[in-house]
Amino acid sequence: MNSLPAKHPLQRDFSPEPIGVATAMLESMAFPYELPALPYPTDALSPVISEKTLRFHYDKHHQAYLDALNKAIDDTEFQAMPLRALIRTTAGKPDKDVIFNNAAQAWNHAFYWDSLSPRGGGDPPAMLKQMIEASFGSVQACRQALTEAAMSQFGSGWAWLVLGDKRIRVVRTGDADNPMTRGQVPLLAIDVWEHAYYLDYQNRRKDYVSGVIEDLLNWDFAASNLA
Ligand code: FE
C-alpha cells in the first residue's frame, strides 16, 4: 500500500484563489441583480480592512446599490441590457443619473472586491510589470501615483489603475464614475468613499490607502484585465 509522501514543513495548503469572480458573476447575471459572491471570507482582509467594515460595505452598501438599480430599471428597456453596456449608455445623461449611479456603483464594488486579495501586494506579473515600468519608471512610482490619486480625490470616489491609449495610467473618478465611460480599461479599483474605511481609520484615509496598496492589491487580477 502506497503511503502519501510526507508534507514538507514549508509547504502550505494552497488553494489558488479564483481571479475576477465577483465581477464575472455580476456581469453574467440577468435582472434582477443580486450580490455577487465575495472571492474570500469576510475576515480575510483583516487587519487592513476589518470584518466589520467589509460586512457593512458588502452586505449594506453594495446590496443597497443593487436594490436601487433593480428598482430603477424595473419595467424599462435597461432590464435586458448587459451591465457594462448599461453603464456606458447612461453615462453623462442627467435624466438617467439614478440608473447610472447605481449601475456603476454595483459594478465598481464587484470590481473592487476582485481588486483585493488576502495574498495581495508584492509585484505584478512580468508583462504588466514591464508595462508599468514603461509608464511610471518603476512599480514603486506606480504605487505612489495610486496613493496620490486616492488621497487627492476630493470627497467620495475611486482611484483606478487603467489601460488607456496603450499605456498603464492612474486616474481618479468622483462619486460613481467609472473610467470605462471614457474608453479606458479598468485594471484595479480602490474605493475611497468614507464608508470603505471610516469604521477602521476614521479620517486617516492615508493609512487605509497605504494598507490596501502595500498588502491587498491583486496584481494577478489587474493582469487578467489586460487580456
Ligand atoms: Fe464603497
Side-chain angles (χ1 to χ4, degrees):
M1 190 177 174
N2 290 333
S3 59
L4 291 169
K7 192 186 265 185
H8 188 279
L10 291 178
Q11 187 185 337
R12 291 190 306 165
D13 286 322
F14 181 75
S15 47
E17 207 174 280
I19 300 289
V21 285
T23 310
M25 189 182 291
L26 185 68
E27 289 183 352
S28 69
M29 278 179 206
F31 175 86
Y33 292 98
E34 294 171 11
L35 267 181
L38 279 176
Y40 33 72
T42 51
D43 62 353
L45 305 182
S46 176
V48 176
I49 297 173
S50 69
E51 180 169 23
K52 188 176 182 185
T53 290
L54 195 60
R55 281 188 173 278
F56 267 99
H57 202 172
Y58 175 70
D59 291 336
K60 305 292 184 192
H61 292 275
H62 198 180
Q63 182 70 61
Y65 295 124
L66 290 158
D67 291 344
L69 171 63
N70 287 331
K71 191 174 166 203
I73 63 175
D74 194 13
D75 263 338
T76 73
E77 76 270 28
F78 297 110
Q79 243 180 253
M81 193 178 281
L83 193 54
R84 282 185 188 238
L86 198 165
I87 291 167
R88 289 198 192 95
T89 302
T90 55
K93 295 184 180 150
D95 62 325
K96 299 286 186 290
D97 63 338
V98 173
I99 295 176
F100 172 78
N101 285 334
N102 288 292
Q105 285 293 79
W107 189 92
N108 292 352
H109 280 85
F111 196 82
Y112 170 64
W113 308 135
D114 285 334
S115 294
L116 308 178
S117 165
R119 284 188 278 267
D123 262 8
M127 192 178 82
L128 176 59
K129 189 176 178 194
Q130 280 176 18
M131 293 172 76
I132 285 174
E133 286 168 350
S135 291
F136 296 93
S138 68
V139 176
Q140 190 51 36
C142 176
R143 288 192 194 97
Q144 187 57 36
L146 269 172
T147 303
E148 283 165 15
M151 292 307 296
S152 61
Q153 174 54 38
F154 185 77
S156 298
W158 298 82
W160 304 84
L161 190 74
V162 303
L163 179 67
D165 296 325
K166 298 182 180 167
R167 287 178 72 83
I168 306 293
R169 300 170 189 278
V170 166
V171 297
R172 54 187 162 83
T173 60
D175 296 328
D177 205 2
N178 182 304
M180 74 169 79
T181 66
R182 301 190 255 302
Q184 296 170 325
V185 179
L187 304 179
L188 287 174
I190 303 174
D191 189 341
V192 292
W193 284 58
E194 282 187 348
H195 67 226
Y197 60 88
Y198 214 82
L199 290 174
D200 294 333
Y201 297 93
Q202 295 78 50
N203 62 329
R204 301 188 311 278
R205 185 191 283 194
K206 180 83 185 281
D207 293 348
Y208 156 75
V209 168
S210 300
V212 165
I213 291 174
E214 295 301 323
D215 296 330
L216 299 183
L217 280 187
N218 188 340
W219 293 104
D220 291 330
F221 175 62
S224 78
N225 290 311
L226 288 170

